[in-house]
Amino acid sequence: MAVYVDHRTEAPDSVASPSHIAWHPLHPLLAVASISTASGGCVDIYLEQGEHVSDAHVERSFQVTSLSWHPFRLILAAGWETGEVVVLNKPDKEHHTVPPSHNAKITVLNWSTNGTCLVSGDRNGVMVLWRIDQRGRAQGPALLKQEYGKCLSHCVFRPPPPGEDFVQLAKAAVSGDEKALDMFNWRKTGTGSPLKTRFQEGLSFFITLTDGSVHYVSEKGKTRHVLSTDSLVQKLLFMEKRDVLVVITENLQLSLYAISLEGEADELMKVKLSGKTGRSGDIILIDHSLVVTALGETVIRFWDLDRDENYVLSPDVQFGFEGGECINCVSYCSAKGLLAAGTNKGRIAMWRKAAGSDQSTRALEGKEKWKLQAPTELEGNVTQIKWGSRKNLLAVNTVSSVVILSEQAMSTHFHQQVAVVQVSPNLFNVTFFSTGATQNLRVDMNVNGVFATKVNCSFLCDSPVLSMHGENLYTVEPYRVQVRTWQGTVKQLLVFSEAEGNPCLLDVCGNFLAVGTDLAHFKIFDLSRREAKVHCNSKNFSELFPGLGGIASVKCNANGNKVSILISKADGNIDSKICFYDVEMDKVTLFDFKANQENGREKLYSGQGVDKSVVQYPELHSHIPACHFWDQSEPRLFVCEAIPEPGLQSPDQNKNQPESTIDAWIISFFSTEEHGLLLQDSFPLPPSFQVLLGIEVPHYYFAKKLGEAEKGQAESGSIKVSQMAARRPMRDFIGLGDCDKPTRDAMLNFSFYLTAGDMDEAFKSIKLIKRTIELFQSISLCRVLLTLNMVQSSGWG
């Protein structure tokens, strides 16, 4: 689960009111047009955290009416109400005015598919096509100028058709086709034209007038009327894969037209959409064939053009929305499968599309594909919302300001029977398992991480990570870990050399602190004394595990003698391997989810000498570790959560089964010097749980999904958060409840020896437990029978 942190744009003119927003398709640059009662209008550019780009400001005594980014260059075109068109070149810090051709408000402004040309249209019906160079300057006279006599409203370029089929042409040439041979040898023979191996320039487009007519402009500059509608066109879309034009009018009449190579339109379908008419709505086309509309109603409407079906989604009061809250705008991020919608109450609703292949998601009915996420709360009336750039940032216009939302992993932590789960950017749910109490905590700042403790304190500090132990708090600065008091006073410094790097990862388990650096070094400190002492000298991960990458996460066990490491690959993704380092033996072990056999310097095995994670659970081959934990007091016990690797699907996965049913697995191990890694248990993450928080015998601890568990009545406008953390007993502790420590230790030893295949020691562990009858009732039948058989064969009893 992720939350979205808001960054308010640092507008230079506090009086200006934002009117238009536009993301660059690739770069994290947001263009904002604003209206000022004092100065007229202006255009500004902002970075991903809202920082203003001072040398990109353009101001006029009149208003901006259109914004359009170049498809890949850092060039922005802006149209004004006087008919002026200005092109901003950000890298060169230049502003170029297109030769004057309009004397009325610019209503259409679009770049061609390959960015070589810019089309502009105005309220008087004048359309002009310009060739623009790499610096944003108009080249020579206009390529085309057409007067339609009525206001232009929409423009959409037709993606260029591909050139000749290279494979078929090559086959024809080999078979002796003279024409095909001439096309390959045009330069040698001096006949014919060059072989088109790339796309054509793509200068054909459709343009609409306010009288409902649609016109087609061909590559050669020929324009002709192709169709008419009975009312103003509200949205014009083009389905590239089918060569189909989608026309939606202001009275919500949807029409599909097949487009020939010459631009002729043949009507395929006409249907009346449901929804409120008489107002300008937000309409988008997603996943090639799904029309989504936000029309100021309490719902978002969907029309699936493939399935010829429709459905609606609405925000849920359970998630903090108000009854009657209206949705003004909508935007979709295909990379994340997230649909975002802005409401009149300043909230951002998000729905996540079910993951998986087309075959698996098609099995889900309409609205079942979408899962409502926790909302982001802002102030004001949200009028525009746009996903953009390769970083998938979300820009929100609330009339008074523009806010940029960036994704941040949900902060969670479990320690000493206290669990903290981040619900929204400023709301945290705290669960005290020892008493069963739950509290909600609101903060007025952006949070980068949390640590559960029973002490309250606050002070200013600039540190990307944080950890605590006893009366000490640990923060980082370049090349040092600061040991602080609860008041913030630094009382000790743990120093790292330049070769070791800057500390960036901290983890406390028992009385030990594990520190990882940005140069892939790690070091363990003993915190049991008054001052922290080095327990394990600095180790270079690159030397221990050559060629694997950097450190994404490092944790140590309760005795400080085992270290587990998740690996960060060069592309920033997590590797499929978990690395283990034995501090006392100076040995390394590698566990790989993708391995078909032992794949490390030490054999990985279960009690029977077989790697069960490979043989018994083949669906884990396409998984990677997402998080890992050691038990806070039991040094042998290790657990991790494995999630599907992005873009991969297990070959054994049922194609008709929704992927959500096998998303994540929980895998626990015993790790000892004698036996190495022993697979203790594995099970799918229960559907009501979001993520693993940790382990403390006899339970696993999880964060729950918001709204999926313990649904109840919620007050309008507030999120109902009863308890966002839960626990599940370990397999061999089911039915024992909160047993005493001797029983817990004996039961854990029984589980360990049973996993290792040592039945004699397992039986000895059972003999130490007073409540033997209750114990055997709690163990699964197969494990009881196995134990009894081994006991009888060994002569016990």
Side-chain angles (χ1 to χ4, degrees):
M1 178 180 172
V3 295
Y4 283 83
V5 179
D6 58 283
H7 304 280
R8 194 171 299 273
T9 54
E10 302 168 356
D13 184 357
S14 58
V15 183
S17 176
S19 59
H20 297 75
I21 56 176
W23 280 109
H24 190 281
L26 305 178
H27 303 280
L29 294 173
L30 177 68
V32 178
S34 302
I35 301 172
S36 172
T37 55
S39 58
C42 62
V43 177
D44 293 281
I45 296 177
Y46 299 91
L47 304 180
E48 60 185 289
Q49 293 192 357
E51 308 96 323
H52 181 247
V53 180
S54 59
D55 51 22
H57 178 79
V58 178
E59 190 171 320
R60 296 288 189 272
S61 59
F62 33 86
Q63 296 180 12
V64 184
T65 57
S66 302
L67 292 176
S68 182
W69 278 103
H70 190 280
F72 48 88
R73 291 195 175 93
L74 299 181
I75 294 176
L76 173 71
W80 304 76
E81 63 179 345
T82 59
E84 182 180 5
V85 176
V86 177
V87 180
L88 289 74
N89 182 327
K90 181 184 178 296
D92 297 334
K93 303 177 183 180
E94 297 175 343
H95 304 159
H96 303 289
T97 301
V98 174
S101 300
H102 304 281
N103 55 16
K105 171 184 175 180
I106 298 297
T107 55
V108 166
L109 193 63
N110 291 76
W111 290 92
S112 62
T113 307
N114 62 2
T116 59
C117 294
L118 178 70
V119 62
S120 58
D122 64 30
R123 188 169 55 185
N124 290 341
V126 177
M127 184 272 295
V128 184
L129 181 66
W130 299 95
R131 185 172 295 280
I132 306 295
D133 69 7
Q134 296 182 2
R135 294 177 59 184
R137 300 173 300 184
Q139 296 296 289
L143 296 178
L144 176 67
K145 185 172 183 179
Q146 182 73 34
E147 296 186 10
Y148 292 94
K150 287 185 171 59
C151 178
L152 305 176
S153 56
H154 297 279
C155 173
V156 59
F157 273 86
R158 182 183 189 181
E164 298 285 349
D165 188 326
F166 223 145
V167 176
Q168 296 300 323
L169 195 62
K171 289 180 179 179
V174 171
S175 65
D177 188 305
E178 292 294 333
K179 184 178 179 181
L181 285 169
D182 287 343
M183 293 188 70
F184 273 106
N185 298 313
W186 66 272
R187 186 181 299 276
K188 181 178 179 180
T189 61
T191 61
S193 59
L195 175 64
K196 295 180 180 179
T197 59
R198 301 183 64 186
F199 287 145
Q200 297 176 14
E201 194 168 9
L203 296 182
S204 59
F205 55 91
F206 295 91
I207 198 160
T208 66
L209 279 57
T210 50
D211 64 357
S213 62
V214 179
H215 299 256
Y216 177 71
V217 181
S218 69
E219 289 265 359
K220 297 180 179 180
K222 302 285 186 176
T223 181
R224 71 168 178 271
H225 173 264
V226 292
L227 64 96
S228 292
T229 62
D230 56 1
S231 61
L232 176 69
V233 175
Q234 186 171 186
K235 193 70 176 181
L236 191 66
L237 304 163
F238 195 82
M239 300 170 64
E240 180 178 352
K241 288 189 174 182
R242 300 183 184 179
D243 264 349
V244 169
L245 186 69
V246 183
V247 181
I248 304 174
T249 65
E250 65 177 355
N251 62 10
L252 299 184
Q253 188 85 30
L254 181 148
S255 303
L256 299 184
Y257 298 88
I259 305 300
S260 68
L261 291 176
E262 295 75 26
E264 296 175 350
D266 182 21
E267 185 178 296
L268 299 175
M269 183 187 75
K270 182 176 288 186
V271 65
K272 181 72 164 61
L273 300 179
S274 301
K276 184 190 297 184
T277 59
R279 60 156 290 165
S280 178
D282 207 356
I283 303 174
I284 60 175
L285 178 69
I286 69 175
D287 293 341
H288 308 296
S289 62
L290 190 60
V291 176
V292 185
T293 63
L295 303 169
E297 304 172 290
T298 57
V299 298
I300 298 176
R301 300 183 182 273
F302 294 76
W303 186 278
D304 192 324
L305 300 177
D306 279 341
R307 290 179 153 187
D308 193 25
E309 66 177 16
N310 61 84
Y311 54 92
V312 300
L313 293 178
S314 59
D316 192 341
V317 174
Q318 178 75 26
F319 283 73
F321 294 93
E322 298 182 24
E325 192 163 350
C326 296
I327 298 173
N328 296 326
C329 47
V330 66
S331 184
Y332 182 64
C333 175
S334 58
K336 293 181 175 294
L338 277 175
L339 183 70
T343 76
N344 62 337
K345 299 296 184 180
R347 294 185 181 88
I348 307 301
M350 289 195 190
W351 287 265
R352 184 177 297 277
K353 187 181 178 184
S357 62
D358 289 340
Q359 292 92 337
S360 64
T361 55
R362 281 180 182 275
L364 297 175
E365 292 296 328
K367 63 191 303 180
E368 295 178 2
K369 298 177 183 177
W370 304 93
K371 295 296 183 183
L372 185 62
Q373 310 294 299
T376 299
E377 296 188 8
L378 303 173
E379 296 179 355
N381 179 23
V382 179
T383 58
Q384 289 175 295
I385 188 168
K386 299 288 183 185
W387 289 102
S389 86
R390 283 176 174 164
K391 293 191 174 183
N392 303 311
L393 303 169
L394 185 64
V396 180
N397 184 0
T398 62
V399 181
S400 60
S401 64
V402 173
V403 175
I404 297 174
L405 300 181
S406 60
E407 185 179 272
Q408 177 179 292
M410 174 183 69
S411 293
T412 61
H413 192 251
F414 170 74
H415 186 65
Q416 295 180 344
Q417 291 295 296
V418 180
V420 181
V421 178
Q422 187 175 21
V423 181
S424 66
N426 61 354
L427 178 63
F428 291 82
N429 181 255
V430 186
T431 301
F432 301 88
F433 285 99
S434 57
T435 63
T438 299
Q439 294 182 2
N440 290 328
L441 173 66
R442 285 193 177 272
V443 297
D444 56 358
M445 58 184 172
N446 289 335
V447 176
N448 293 325
V450 295
F451 194 101
T453 182
K454 298 178 181 179
V455 180
N456 295 323
C457 67
S458 65
F459 56 86
L460 294 176
C461 175
D462 184 12
S463 176
V465 291
L466 170 75
S467 200
M468 302 179 189
H469 179 267
E471 300 297 320
N472 297 326
L473 188 148
Y474 302 87
T475 59
V476 301
E477 62 180 5
Y479 303 109
R480 294 189 291 190
V481 175
Q482 303 161 322
V483 184
R484 297 174 178 266
T485 65
W486 292 115
Q487 291 72 40
T489 303
V490 177
K491 63 179 187 179
Q492 186 183 359
L493 292 173
L494 311 179
V495 181
F496 288 73
S497 68
E498 289 189 15
E500 292 172 323
N502 292 305
C504 58
L505 300 167
L506 299 178
D507 177 71
V508 168
C509 185
N511 290 323
F512 295 91
L513 169 69
V515 182
T517 74
D518 56 3
L519 294 183
H521 285 68
F522 64 90
K523 189 184 295 186
I524 311 298
F525 294 90
D526 185 348
L527 309 180
S528 60
R529 300 168 184 158
R530 182 175 180 181
E531 289 193 343
K533 301 292 183 182
V534 175
H535 176 71
C536 171
N537 289 321
S538 180
K539 299 295 179 180
N540 186 341
F541 177 78
S542 301
E543 294 178 357
L544 292 174
F545 302 93
L548 286 189
I551 298 177
S553 174
V554 58
K555 296 181 184 290
C556 66
N557 69 349
N559 283 356
N561 61 357
K562 303 280 186 181
V563 180
S564 60
I565 298 172
L566 301 189
I567 307 167
S568 176
K569 297 191 293 187
D571 60 4
N573 292 320
I574 300 298
D575 198 285
S576 63
K577 307 173 186 67
I578 305 177
C579 301
F580 294 89
Y581 176 70
D582 189 313
V583 174
E584 296 173 351
M585 302 301 295
D586 192 27
K587 291 199 307 184
V588 296
T589 302
L590 201 60
F591 179 85
D592 191 351
F593 283 98
K594 292 184 178 180
N596 291 320
Q597 56 188 352
E598 58 271 14
N599 183 20
R601 305 181 187 182
E602 181 175 313
K603 184 179 179 181
L604 305 179
Y605 61 93
S606 69
Q608 303 301 318
V610 180
D611 188 354
K612 289 185 179 178
S613 67
V614 172
V615 176
Q616 193 168 341
Y617 306 104
E619 53 266 57
L620 295 183
H621 288 179
S622 61
H623 285 56
I624 58 174
C627 56
H628 59 135
F629 303 95
W630 294 89
D631 188 286
Q632 288 287 316
S633 57
E634 172 49 59
R636 297 173 295 179
L637 200 54
F638 172 84
V639 65
C640 72
E641 177 182 338
I643 62 173
E645 185 173 4
L648 292 183
Q649 186 175 356
S650 172
D652 299 318
Q653 181 177 324
N654 185 347
K655 300 298 183 181
N656 296 321
Q657 182 181 20
E659 187 173 324
S660 59
T661 62
I662 58 166
D663 267 351
W665 284 73
I666 307 302
I667 306 104
S668 60
F669 296 91
F670 285 112
S671 176
T672 66
E673 178 184 334
E674 180 182 358
H675 297 286
L677 286 176
L678 298 172
L679 182 65
Q680 189 263 342
D681 191 15
S682 66
F683 56 90
L685 180 70
S688 62
F689 294 162
Q690 183 72 42
V691 68
L692 177 69
L693 295 180
I695 185 171
E696 187 171 320
V697 177
H699 294 101
Y700 301 102
Y701 291 83
F702 300 90
K704 295 194 296 188
K705 291 180 180 177
L706 181 64
E708 291 223 357
E710 297 185 3
K711 290 186 177 180
Q713 297 297 319
E715 296 181 6
S716 180
S718 64
I719 300 177
K720 172 68 174 179
V721 185
S722 56
Q723 183 174 310
M724 286 299 297
R727 65 187 186 183
R728 164 178 170 152
M730 297 171 62
R731 179 177 60 187
D732 295 328
F733 287 86
I734 296 174
L736 287 180
D738 292 323
C739 52
D740 55 29
K741 189 176 186 306
T743 303
R744 186 166 62 244
D745 292 344
M747 186 70 246
L748 188 65
N749 285 332
F750 166 78
S751 179
F752 169 71
Y753 290 118
L754 191 62
T755 302
D758 190 337
M759 292 300 134
D760 289 344
E761 291 297 327
F763 187 81
K764 290 178 182 178
S765 300
I766 292 177
K767 296 275 285 186
L768 298 175
I769 303 175
K770 296 179 181 179
R771 296 188 297 170
T772 306
I773 297 177
E774 296 179 13
L775 171 67
F776 275 93
Q777 291 175 345
S778 71
I779 304 173
S780 62
L781 180 60
C782 62
R783 293 170 71 86
V784 172
L785 294 175
L786 174 63
T787 304
L788 291 176
N789 288 336
M790 296 302 295
V791 167
Q792 290 174 355
S793 63
S794 62
W796 285 87

